Amino acid sequence: TIAADLVRTAVFLVFIASLCIAGYLWIMFRGQKILSAWRFSVCTFFKLLHDIFVLVGIWAILGHFTDLGQVDSLFITAVLTSVAFSIHDTIVVFDRVRENLRSGPRLTFDQIINLSTVQTMTRSLNTALTVTFVLVSLVIFGGDSIRGFVLALLIGIITGTYSSIFNASTLLVAWQKLDRAKEPPPVRGVRRVQPSRA
């Protein structure tokens, strides 16, 4: 009964946090003339679901083969912390995308996404590696009481880092290409005939 209640609480908290984050992103990125602000929110929401599913999936596999995969309050804390870290990285990338959309009108959308990802990759990797080194040390040398929490946090940080770089921006590019594919092709070679004044 307690475990089922914790699972329901975790799902509810993650859902509420996701909605709040999506609303924050919509407010922060509104006024963008080139790309709608709600697209940033939607892509971030699906990227967030990916991070949660990967973490929960790996945790379920660990729980099947080891004693670490227990869903308790520390695991919920690790999930929410990983979500916050992941969203922070995504906002950094998307904010650079917004700046480059304003300052780089000569570039295509794919080039702007690529440029923004490259510009923020070093910062994201340095931050993630710093946290990862500390978490790996705690997993190896820490006590048994926090090992599960630290391991879940480590999985979430690694997943959130690579998805912030590779998944969130890629969803924007795929969405933009889908819109372009739906647009009717321009008509070429048709001359307009001027009406004669007779």
Side-chain angles (χ1 to χ4, degrees):
T1 303
I2 296 175
D5 185 62
L6 281 173
V7 170
R8 284 194 297 268
T9 304
V11 172
F12 177 74
L13 288 176
V14 168
F15 181 73
I16 294 299
S18 303
L19 288 180
C20 293
I21 290 167
Y24 168 74
L25 284 172
W26 180 80
I27 293 172
M28 194 171 104
F29 286 95
R30 65 180 179 177
Q32 179 65 248
K33 297 180 180 179
I34 301 176
L35 199 63
S36 299
W38 64 278
R39 291 198 177 190
F40 289 99
S41 299
V42 172
C43 291
T44 304
F45 180 76
F46 282 108
K47 177 254 183 205
L48 186 62
L49 290 180
H50 162 270
D51 297 345
I52 295 170
F53 287 154
V54 170
L55 175 55
V56 172
I58 294 176
W59 202 247
I61 294 172
L62 288 175
H64 182 73
F65 294 104
T66 65
D67 296 333
L68 290 175
Q70 297 180 358
V71 177
D72 53 7
S73 58
L74 286 178
F75 176 73
I76 297 173
T77 305
V79 171
L80 295 177
T81 306
S82 302
V83 164
F85 190 90
S86 175
I87 291 302
H88 179 263
D89 271 352
T90 307
I91 289 176
V92 170
V93 177
F94 279 175
D95 194 54
R96 186 56 61 92
V97 171
R98 181 180 60 174
E99 293 176 0
N100 288 334
L101 282 172
R102 294 174 177 174
S103 61
R106 296 181 180 179
L107 300 176
T108 64
F109 186 74
D110 298 0
Q111 291 173 337
I112 289 176
I113 292 294
N114 185 54
L115 177 63
S116 304
T117 304
V118 170
Q119 288 175 343
T120 56
M121 186 179 297
T122 303
R123 176 251 171 221
S124 298
L125 290 178
N126 287 339
T127 305
L129 284 175
T130 303
V131 178
T132 301
F133 291 151
V134 176
L135 293 177
V136 169
S137 302
L138 288 175
V139 168
I140 297 173
F141 303 108
D144 294 336
S145 59
I146 63 169
R147 183 166 285 118
F149 166 73
V150 175
L151 184 60
L153 196 57
L154 178 62
I155 296 170
I157 295 298
I158 294 174
T159 304
T161 300
Y162 87 76
S163 65
S164 299
I165 297 173
F166 298 110
N167 291 358
S169 302
T170 307
L171 286 174
L172 278 178
V173 173
W175 200 339
Q176 190 77 359
K177 287 184 177 181
L178 187 63
D179 284 349
R180 290 176 183 173
K182 292 180 179 179
E183 294 178 357
V187 180
R188 297 180 180 178
V190 178
R191 297 178 59 185
R192 296 183 61 185
V193 179
Q194 297 292 336
S196 58
R197 296 180 180 179

